[in-house]
Amino acid sequence: STAAIPLMRILRENENDDLRIIAALALYKIGSPIAIHAVKQSIRFDDSERVSKHCASFYNEYLKNKIIDEEKNDYVVKTARK
């Protein structure tokens, strides 16, 4: 998504914690690999503990949804083979 690049810049460079959190949320919602990677990197590297915690929450939600989707796919494959 072309929106991801400016959002990544905000997440990485903006001094306002609230704007960085909003950018991280938007990147999580975009969901592309590069967007999710930016959120994951901010968990470790953002100077604000508040921003890091929000990024961790968004990333954990992404992982949880990914696991649920994989389980659904496994179930569909198993039931289709019966």
Side-chain angles (χ1 to χ4, degrees):
S1 170
T2 57
I5 302 301
L7 289 167
M8 288 167 49
R9 188 174 301 114
I10 291 169
L11 181 57
R12 202 174 48 245
E13 299 173 5
N14 200 287
E15 293 182 14
N16 184 307
D17 287 3
D18 292 331
L19 288 178
R20 292 200 313 279
I21 291 166
I22 292 166
L25 175 60
L27 288 164
Y28 156 73
K29 294 209 175 245
I30 288 171
S32 68
I34 194 166
I36 296 301
H37 180 73
V39 173
K40 183 180 177 184
Q41 291 298 99
S42 289
I43 297 168
R44 287 180 54 198
F45 297 115
D46 198 284
D47 292 335
S48 165
E49 185 176 345
R50 184 169 160 253
V51 174
S52 293
K53 284 183 177 182
H54 275 84
C55 288
S57 176
F58 301 147
Y59 186 69
N60 285 334
E61 190 67 21
Y62 164 78
L63 292 177
K64 186 171 72 175
N65 290 334
K66 186 176 175 185
I67 290 169
I68 290 169
D69 288 346
E70 288 172 0
E71 288 174 353
K72 285 180 186 175
N73 289 342
D74 289 346
Y75 176 77
V76 168
V77 169
K78 287 177 185 173
T79 57
R81 290 183 175 171
K82 289 183 179 181

